[in-house]
Amino acid sequence: GNYDTDLGAMLTGLISKHVPVRTCGSCLKRCGLYRNRPLVPGAQESKMTDLVEEIHQADRVVSF
């Protein structure tokens, strides 16, 4: 597909506003990013079980 959104810039903007950003380790691996190297500084790599718990407790969730 044709994506015109800079995901890194979008996540950096959220992090700068103190929005917690969690990333799926499997997705990072699929995107060619290595373990312990976040997509953007301040993003936190999480396991699927952690993400499910976060979603369950959250008021709002953004997924893309």
Side-chain angles (χ1 to χ4, degrees):
N2 184 11
Y3 298 100
D4 59 356
T5 301
D6 181 344
L7 182 59
M10 184 171 60
L11 294 178
T12 299
L14 290 170
I15 291 167
S16 73
K17 292 178 171 77
H18 307 286
V19 175
V21 173
R22 309 278 189 261
T23 56
C24 169
S26 297
C27 295
L28 292 175
K29 185 177 181 180
R30 185 182 68 222
C31 292
L33 298 172
Y34 300 99
R35 188 170 188 76
N36 299 322
R37 288 183 55 201
L39 180 61
V40 291
Q44 186 175 31
E45 184 178 341
S46 298
K47 295 178 183 174
M48 189 56 69
T49 53
D50 298 330
L51 293 171
V52 169
E53 184 61 30
E54 291 275 340
I55 290 167
H56 181 70
Q57 293 180 10
D59 294 329
R60 291 171 277 174
V61 175
V62 177
S63 176
F64 40 88

Coordinates of all heavy atoms in Angstrom, one line a residue:
G1 N 0.8 -1.2 0.0 CA 0.0 0.0 0.0 C 0.9 1.2 0.0 O 2.0 1.2 0.2
N2 N 0.2 2.3 -0.2 CA 0.9 3.6 -0.3 C 0.6 4.3 1.1 O -0.5 4.7 1.3 CB 0.4 4.5 -1.4 CG 1.1 5.8 -1.6 OD1 2.1 6.0 -0.9 ND2 0.5 6.7 -2.4
Y3 N 1.6 4.5 1.8 CA 1.5 5.1 3.2 C 2.2 6.5 3.1 O 3.4 6.6 2.8 CB 2.1 4.3 4.2 CG 1.5 2.9 4.4 CD1 2.0 1.8 3.8 CD2 0.2 2.8 5.0 CE1 1.4 0.6 3.9 CE2 -0.4 1.6 5.1 CZ 0.2 0.5 4.6 OH -0.4 -0.7 4.7
D4 N 1.5 7.6 3.5 CA 2.1 8.9 3.5 C 2.3 9.4 4.9 O 2.6 10.5 5.1 CB 1.2 9.9 2.7 CG -0.2 10.0 3.2 OD1 -0.6 9.3 4.1 OD2 -1.0 10.8 2.7
T5 N 2.1 8.6 5.9 CA 2.3 8.9 7.3 C 3.7 8.5 7.7 O 4.0 7.3 7.5 CB 1.2 8.3 8.2 OG1 -0.1 8.7 7.7 CG2 1.4 8.7 9.6
D6 N 4.4 9.4 8.4 CA 5.7 9.0 8.9 C 5.4 8.5 10.3 O 5.2 9.2 11.3 CB 6.6 10.3 9.0 CG 8.0 10.0 9.5 OD1 8.2 8.9 10.2 OD2 8.8 10.8 9.3
L7 N 5.4 7.1 10.5 CA 5.1 6.5 11.7 C 6.1 6.9 12.8 O 5.6 7.2 13.9 CB 5.1 5.0 11.5 CG 4.8 4.1 12.8 CD1 3.4 4.5 13.3 CD2 4.9 2.7 12.4
G8 N 7.3 7.0 12.5 CA 8.3 7.4 13.5 C 8.0 8.8 14.1 O 8.0 9.0 15.3
A9 N 7.7 9.7 13.2 CA 7.4 11.1 13.6 C 6.1 11.1 14.4 O 6.0 11.8 15.4 CB 7.2 12.0 12.4
M10 N 5.1 10.3 14.0 CA 3.8 10.3 14.7 C 4.0 9.8 16.2 O 3.6 10.3 17.1 CB 2.8 9.4 14.0 CG 1.5 9.4 14.7 SD 0.2 8.6 13.7 CE 0.8 7.0 13.5
L11 N 4.8 8.7 16.3 CA 5.1 8.1 17.6 C 5.9 9.0 18.5 O 5.7 9.2 19.7 CB 5.7 6.7 17.5 CG 4.8 5.6 16.8 CD1 5.6 4.4 16.7 CD2 3.6 5.4 17.6
T12 N 6.9 9.7 17.8 CA 7.7 10.6 18.6 C 6.9 11.8 19.1 O 7.0 12.2 20.3 CB 8.8 11.2 17.7 OG1 9.7 10.1 17.3 CG2 9.7 12.2 18.4
G13 N 5.9 12.2 18.3 CA 5.0 13.3 18.8 C 4.2 12.8 20.0 O 4.0 13.6 20.9
L14 N 3.7 11.6 19.9 CA 2.9 11.1 21.0 C 3.7 11.0 22.3 O 3.3 11.4 23.4 CB 2.3 9.7 20.7 CG 1.2 9.7 19.6 CD1 0.9 8.3 19.2 CD2 -0.1 10.4 20.2
I15 N 4.9 10.4 22.1 CA 5.8 10.3 23.3 C 6.2 11.6 23.9 O 6.2 11.8 25.1 CB 7.1 9.5 22.9 CG1 6.7 8.0 22.6 CG2 8.2 9.5 23.9 CD1 7.8 7.2 21.9
S16 N 6.4 12.6 23.1 CA 6.7 14.0 23.6 C 5.5 14.6 24.4 O 5.7 15.4 25.2 CB 7.1 14.9 22.4 OG 5.9 15.3 21.7
K17 N 4.3 14.0 24.2 CA 3.1 14.5 24.9 C 2.9 13.5 26.1 O 1.8 13.6 26.7 CB 1.9 14.6 24.0 CG 2.0 15.7 23.0 CD 0.8 15.6 22.1 CE 0.8 16.8 21.2 NZ 1.7 16.8 20.0
H18 N 3.8 12.7 26.4 CA 3.8 11.7 27.5 C 2.7 10.7 27.3 O 2.1 10.2 28.3 CB 3.6 12.5 28.9 CG 4.6 13.5 29.1 ND1 5.9 13.2 29.4 CD2 4.6 14.9 29.0 CE1 6.6 14.3 29.5 NE2 5.8 15.4 29.2
V19 N 2.4 10.3 26.1 CA 1.5 9.2 25.8 C 2.3 8.0 25.8 O 3.3 7.9 25.1 CB 0.8 9.4 24.4 CG1 0.0 8.2 24.0 CG2 0.0 10.7 24.4
P20 N 1.9 7.0 26.6 CA 2.6 5.7 26.6 C 2.5 5.0 25.2 O 1.4 4.8 24.7 CB 1.9 4.8 27.7 CG 1.0 5.7 28.4 CD 0.7 6.9 27.5
V21 N 3.7 4.6 24.7 CA 3.7 4.0 23.4 C 4.3 2.6 23.6 O 5.4 2.5 24.1 CB 4.5 4.8 22.3 CG1 4.7 3.9 21.1 CG2 3.8 6.1 22.0
R22 N 3.6 1.5 23.3 CA 4.0 0.2 23.5 C 4.1 -0.4 22.1 O 3.2 -0.2 21.2 CB 3.0 -0.6 24.3 CG 2.6 0.0 25.6 CD 3.6 -0.3 26.7 NE 3.1 0.1 28.0 CZ 3.4 1.3 28.6 NH1 4.2 2.1 28.0 NH2 2.9 1.6 29.8
T23 N 5.1 -1.2 21.9 CA 5.3 -1.9 20.6 C 5.3 -3.4 20.8 O 5.9 -3.9 21.7 CB 6.5 -1.4 19.9 OG1 7.7 -1.7 20.7 CG2 6.5 0.1 19.5
C24 N 4.8 -4.1 19.8 CA 4.8 -5.6 19.8 C 6.1 -6.0 19.3 O 6.6 -5.7 18.2 CB 3.7 -6.0 18.9 SG 3.7 -7.8 18.5
G25 N 6.8 -6.9 20.0 CA 8.1 -7.4 19.6 C 8.1 -8.1 18.3 O 9.0 -8.0 17.5
S26 N 7.0 -8.9 18.1 CA 6.9 -9.6 16.8 C 6.8 -8.7 15.6 O 7.3 -8.9 14.6 CB 5.7 -10.5 16.8 OG 5.8 -11.5 17.8
C27 N 6.0 -7.6 15.8 CA 5.9 -6.6 14.8 C 7.2 -5.9 14.5 O 7.6 -5.7 13.3 CB 4.8 -5.6 15.1 SG 3.2 -6.3 15.3
L28 N 7.9 -5.6 15.5 CA 9.3 -5.0 15.3 C 10.2 -5.9 14.6 O 10.9 -5.5 13.7 CB 9.9 -4.6 16.7 CG 9.2 -3.5 17.5 CD1 9.8 -3.3 18.8 CD2 9.2 -2.2 16.7
K29 N 10.2 -7.1 14.9 CA 11.0 -8.1 14.2 C 10.6 -8.2 12.7 O 11.4 -8.2 11.9 CB 10.9 -9.5 14.9 CG 11.8 -10.5 14.3 CD 11.7 -11.8 15.1 CE 12.6 -12.9 14.5 NZ 12.5 -14.1 15.3
R30 N 9.3 -8.2 12.5 CA 8.8 -8.3 11.1 C 9.2 -7.1 10.3 O 9.5 -7.2 9.1 CB 7.3 -8.4 11.1 CG 6.7 -8.6 9.7 CD 5.2 -8.7 9.7 NE 4.7 -7.4 10.1 CZ 3.6 -7.2 10.9 NH1 3.0 -8.2 11.5 NH2 3.2 -6.0 11.2
C31 N 9.3 -5.9 11.0 CA 9.7 -4.7 10.3 C 11.3 -4.6 10.2 O 11.8 -3.6 9.7 CB 9.2 -3.5 11.1 SG 7.4 -3.3 11.0
G32 N 12.0 -5.6 10.7 CA 13.4 -5.6 10.5 C 14.2 -4.9 11.7 O 15.3 -4.5 11.5
L33 N 13.5 -4.6 12.8 CA 14.1 -3.9 13.9 C 14.6 -5.0 14.9 O 13.9 -6.0 15.1 CB 13.1 -3.0 14.6 CG 12.7 -1.9 13.6 CD1 11.6 -1.1 14.3 CD2 13.8 -0.9 13.3
Y34 N 15.7 -4.8 15.5 CA 16.3 -5.8 16.4 C 15.9 -5.6 17.8 O 15.5 -4.5 18.2 CB 17.8 -5.7 16.3 CG 18.3 -6.0 14.9 CD1 18.6 -4.9 14.0 CD2 18.4 -7.3 14.4 CE1 19.0 -5.1 12.7 CE2 18.8 -7.5 13.1 CZ 19.1 -6.4 12.3 OH 19.5 -6.7 11.0
R35 N 15.9 -6.7 18.5 CA 15.6 -6.7 20.0 C 16.4 -5.6 20.7 O 17.5 -5.4 20.4 CB 15.9 -8.1 20.5 CG 15.4 -8.2 21.9 CD 15.6 -9.7 22.3 NE 15.0 -10.0 23.5 CZ 13.7 -10.1 23.8 NH1 12.8 -10.0 22.8 NH2 13.2 -10.4 25.0
N36 N 15.7 -5.0 21.6 CA 16.3 -3.9 22.5 C 16.6 -2.7 21.7 O 17.4 -1.8 22.2 CB 17.5 -4.4 23.3 CG 17.2 -5.6 24.2 OD1 16.1 -5.6 24.8 ND2 18.0 -6.5 24.3
R37 N 16.1 -2.5 20.5 CA 16.2 -1.3 19.7 C 14.8 -0.8 19.4 O 14.2 -1.3 18.5 CB 17.0 -1.5 18.4 CG 18.5 -1.8 18.7 CD 19.3 -1.9 17.4 NE 19.1 -0.8 16.5 CZ 19.3 -0.9 15.2 NH1 19.7 -2.0 14.7 NH2 19.1 0.2 14.5
P38 N 14.3 0.2 20.2 CA 12.9 0.6 20.0 C 12.7 1.2 18.6 O 13.6 1.8 18.0 CB 12.6 1.5 21.1 CG 14.0 2.1 21.5 CD 15.0 0.9 21.2
L39 N 11.5 1.2 18.2 CA 11.1 1.9 16.9 C 11.5 3.4 17.0 O 12.1 3.9 16.1 CB 9.6 1.8 16.7 CG 9.0 2.4 15.4 CD1 9.7 1.9 14.2 CD2 7.5 2.3 15.4
V40 N 11.2 4.0 18.1 CA 11.6 5.4 18.4 C 12.0 5.4 19.9 O 11.5 4.7 20.7 CB 10.5 6.4 18.1 CG1 10.2 6.5 16.6 CG2 9.2 6.1 18.8
P41 N 12.9 6.3 20.2 CA 13.3 6.5 21.6 C 12.1 6.8 22.5 O 11.3 7.7 22.1 CB 14.3 7.6 21.6 CG 14.9 7.6 20.3 CD 13.7 7.2 19.4
G42 N 11.9 6.1 23.6 CA 10.8 6.3 24.4 C 9.6 5.3 24.3 O 8.8 5.1 25.1
A43 N 9.6 4.6 23.1 CA 8.7 3.5 22.9 C 9.1 2.3 23.7 O 10.3 2.0 23.8 CB 8.5 3.2 21.4
Q44 N 8.2 1.6 24.2 CA 8.5 0.4 25.1 C 8.1 -0.9 24.4 O 6.9 -1.0 24.1 CB 7.8 0.6 26.4 CG 8.2 -0.5 27.4 CD 7.6 -0.2 28.8 OE1 6.5 0.4 28.9 NE2 8.3 -0.6 29.8
E45 N 9.0 -1.8 24.2 CA 8.7 -3.1 23.6 C 7.9 -3.9 24.6 O 8.3 -3.9 25.8 CB 9.9 -3.8 23.1 CG 9.6 -5.1 22.4 CD 10.8 -5.8 21.9 OE1 11.9 -5.2 21.8 OE2 10.7 -7.1 21.7
S46 N 6.8 -4.5 24.3 CA 6.0 -5.3 25.2 C 5.7 -6.6 24.6 O 5.7 -6.8 23.4 CB 4.7 -4.6 25.5 OG 4.9 -3.3 26.1
K47 N 5.4 -7.6 25.5 CA 5.0 -8.9 25.1 C 3.5 -8.8 24.8 O 2.8 -7.9 25.4 CB 5.3 -9.9 26.2 CG 6.7 -10.1 26.4 CD 6.9 -11.1 27.5 CE 8.4 -11.3 27.8 NZ 8.7 -12.1 29.0
M48 N 2.9 -9.8 24.0 CA 1.5 -9.8 23.7 C 0.7 -9.8 25.0 O -0.4 -9.1 25.1 CB 1.2 -10.9 22.8 CG -0.2 -10.9 22.3 SD -0.6 -9.3 21.4 CE 0.4 -9.5 19.9
T49 N 1.1 -10.6 26.0 CA 0.3 -10.6 27.2 C 0.2 -9.3 27.9 O -0.8 -8.9 28.5 CB 0.8 -11.7 28.2 OG1 2.2 -11.5 28.4 CG2 0.6 -13.1 27.6
D50 N 1.3 -8.5 27.9 CA 1.4 -7.2 28.5 C 0.5 -6.3 27.7 O -0.3 -5.4 28.3 CB 2.8 -6.6 28.4 CG 3.8 -7.4 29.3 OD1 3.3 -8.1 30.3 OD2 5.0 -7.5 28.9
L51 N 0.5 -6.4 26.4 CA -0.4 -5.5 25.5 C -1.8 -5.8 25.8 O -2.7 -4.9 25.9 CB 0.0 -5.7 24.0 CG 1.4 -5.2 23.6 CD1 1.7 -5.7 22.2 CD2 1.5 -3.7 23.8
V52 N -2.2 -7.0 25.9 CA -3.6 -7.4 26.2 C -4.1 -6.8 27.5 O -5.1 -6.2 27.6 CB -3.8 -8.9 26.2 CG1 -5.2 -9.3 26.7 CG2 -3.6 -9.5 24.8
E53 N -3.2 -6.9 28.5 CA -3.5 -6.3 29.8 C -3.7 -4.8 29.7 O -4.6 -4.2 30.3 CB -2.5 -6.7 30.9 CG -2.8 -6.2 32.3 CD -4.1 -6.8 32.8 OE1 -4.5 -7.9 32.5 OE2 -4.7 -6.1 33.6
E54 N -2.8 -4.1 29.0 CA -2.8 -2.7 28.8 C -4.1 -2.3 28.1 O -4.8 -1.3 28.5 CB -1.7 -2.2 28.0 CG -0.3 -2.3 28.6 CD 0.0 -1.1 29.5 OE1 -0.6 0.0 29.3 OE2 0.8 -1.2 30.4
I55 N -4.5 -3.0 27.1 CA -5.8 -2.7 26.3 C -7.0 -2.9 27.2 O -7.9 -2.1 27.2 CB -5.9 -3.6 25.1 CG1 -4.8 -3.2 24.1 CG2 -7.3 -3.6 24.5 CD1 -4.6 -4.2 22.9
H56 N -7.0 -4.0 28.0 CA -8.1 -4.2 29.0 C -8.3 -3.1 29.9 O -9.4 -2.7 30.3 CB -7.8 -5.6 29.7 CG -8.9 -5.9 30.6 ND1 -10.1 -6.3 30.2 CD2 -8.9 -6.0 32.0 CE1 -10.9 -6.6 31.3 NE2 -10.2 -6.4 32.3
Q57 N -7.2 -2.5 30.4 CA -7.2 -1.4 31.4 C -7.4 0.0 30.9 O -7.8 0.9 31.6 CB -6.0 -1.5 32.3 CG -5.9 -2.7 33.1 CD -4.6 -2.8 34.0 OE1 -3.9 -1.8 34.1 NE2 -4.4 -3.9 34.6
A58 N -7.2 0.1 29.6 CA -7.1 1.5 29.0 C -8.5 2.1 28.7 O -9.5 1.3 28.5 CB -6.4 1.4 27.7
D59 N -8.6 3.4 28.8 CA -9.8 4.1 28.4 C -9.9 4.2 26.8 O -10.9 4.1 26.3 CB -9.8 5.5 28.9 CG -9.9 5.6 30.4 OD1 -10.5 4.6 31.0 OD2 -9.4 6.5 31.0
R60 N -8.7 4.3 26.2 CA -8.6 4.4 24.7 C -7.4 3.7 24.2 O -6.4 3.7 24.9 CB -8.5 5.9 24.3 CG -9.8 6.7 24.5 CD -9.6 8.1 24.3 NE -9.0 8.6 25.6 CZ -8.5 9.8 25.7 NH1 -8.5 10.7 24.8 NH2 -8.0 10.2 26.9
V61 N -7.5 3.1 23.0 CA -6.3 2.4 22.4 C -6.3 2.9 21.0 O -7.3 2.9 20.3 CB -6.5 0.9 22.5 CG1 -5.4 0.2 21.8 CG2 -6.5 0.5 24.0
V62 N -5.1 3.1 20.5 CA -4.9 3.4 19.1 C -4.0 2.3 18.5 O -2.9 2.0 19.1 CB -4.2 4.8 18.9 CG1 -3.9 5.1 17.4 CG2 -5.0 5.9 19.5
S63 N -4.4 1.7 17.4 CA -3.7 0.6 16.8 C -3.5 0.9 15.4 O -4.5 1.3 14.7 CB -4.4 -0.7 17.1 OG -3.8 -1.7 16.4
F64 N -2.3 0.6 14.8 CA -2.1 0.8 13.4 C -1.0 -0.1 12.9 O -0.3 -0.7 13.7 CB -1.8 2.2 13.0 CG -1.0 2.9 14.0 CD1 0.4 2.9 13.8 CD2 -1.5 3.6 15.0 CE1 1.2 3.5 14.7 CE2 -0.7 4.3 15.9 CZ 0.7 4.2 15.8

